[in-house]
């Protein structure tokens, strides 16, 4: 019943936010505005953002969360602007074998994703490229983790252990 408006980062270099998130929000009838990734700080400073919610590809036992590249930067910006930063993720995202996010393997993607965006060369031939697919947001930047069983709060070690126990008891 809340009236929300979502600002969607385009999510470079593969534009998942523009191609997927924006489409999903439209399908759900949720008002949304697409922005370039590097506009996040400006819209935060302008007071247009009340909270940040992102997904996660993997969450360590201490709450450190890996997600698409750029998520860590958005979390730092949110902290600087006093905006709560949340992760939304199902139980299957948690990897309790990993103590911290430092143990999460980070895939490096093909250089062409940056130098030849969607098949068109946009960078000089031979330029060196660094293209990690994910980054890790430290738990201390996360206000809460939204799960199918409610919102987990820090310290995440305790709340994640209780969450894991509740999920196991239910299955």
């Amino acid at each position: 019943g809340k009236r929300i408006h979502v600002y969607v980062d385009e999510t470079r270099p593969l534009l998942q936010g523009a191609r997927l998130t924006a489409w999903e929000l439209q399908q759900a009838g949720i008002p949304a505005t697409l922005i370039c990734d590097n506009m996040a700080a400006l819209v935060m400073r302008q007071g247009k953002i009340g909270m940040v919610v992102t997904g996660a590809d993997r969450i360590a036992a201490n709450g450190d969360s890996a997600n698409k590249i750029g998520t860590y930067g958005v979390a730092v910006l949110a902290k600087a602007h006093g905006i709560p930063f949340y992760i939304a993720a199902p139980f299957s995202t948690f990897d309790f074998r990993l103590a911290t996010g430092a143990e999460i393997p980070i895939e490096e993607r093909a250089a062409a994703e940056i130098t030849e965006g969607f098949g068109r060369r946009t960078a000089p031939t031979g330029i060196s490229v660094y293209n990690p697919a994910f980054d890790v947001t430290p738990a201390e930047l996360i206000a809460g983790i939204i799960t199918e069983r409610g919102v987990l709060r820090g310290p995440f070690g305790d709340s994640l252990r209780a969450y894991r126990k509740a999920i196991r008891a239910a299955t």
Side-chain angles (χ1 to χ4, degrees), residues 4-9 21 25 30-34 49:
I4 64 169
H5 185 100
V6 178
Y7 282 84
V8 181
D9 280 359
T21 307
L25 289 166
I30 298 171
T33 300
L34 181 64
I49 307 298

Side-chain angles (χ1 to χ4, degrees), residues 30-124:
I30 298 171
T33 300
L34 181 64
I35 62 172
C36 294
D37 285 345
N38 55 2
M39 292 180 189
L42 176 64
V43 296
M44 287 180 188
R45 190 177 83 197
Q46 290 174 336
K48 295 181 180 185
I49 307 298
M51 71 182 322
V52 175
V53 179
T54 72
D57 286 84
R58 201 173 210 181
I59 301 173
N62 72 337
D64 291 350
S65 300
N67 195 44
K68 302 296 177 268
I69 192 70
T71 304
Y72 170 60
V74 171
V76 170
L77 290 170
K79 176 90 170 174
H81 290 89
I83 299 167
F85 180 92
Y86 290 89
I87 299 288
F91 181 74
S92 59
T93 306
F94 293 85
D95 190 338
F96 295 100
R97 298 169 299 169
L98 305 177
T100 72
E103 298 175 43
I104 297 173
I106 303 296
E107 169 191 2
E108 185 156 349
R109 304 288 302 251
E113 289 178 356
I114 295 176
T115 61
E116 300 172 24
F118 295 99
R120 182 169 180 241
R121 178 156 285 283
T122 56

Side-chain angles (χ1 to χ4, degrees), residues 91 96-97 149 161-171:
F91 181 74
F96 295 100
R97 298 169 299 169
R149 293 201 166 241
R161 277 190 292 281
Y163 172 60
R164 182 180 189 190
K165 185 177 178 180
I167 291 288
R168 285 185 170 167
T171 55

Side-chain angles (χ1 to χ4, degrees), residues 10-19 109 113-114 118 131:
E10 64 189 350
T11 321
R12 290 186 183 186
L14 297 181
L15 305 177
Q16 297 98 319
R19 294 183 299 110
R109 304 288 302 251
E113 289 178 356
I114 295 176
F118 295 99
N131 187 18

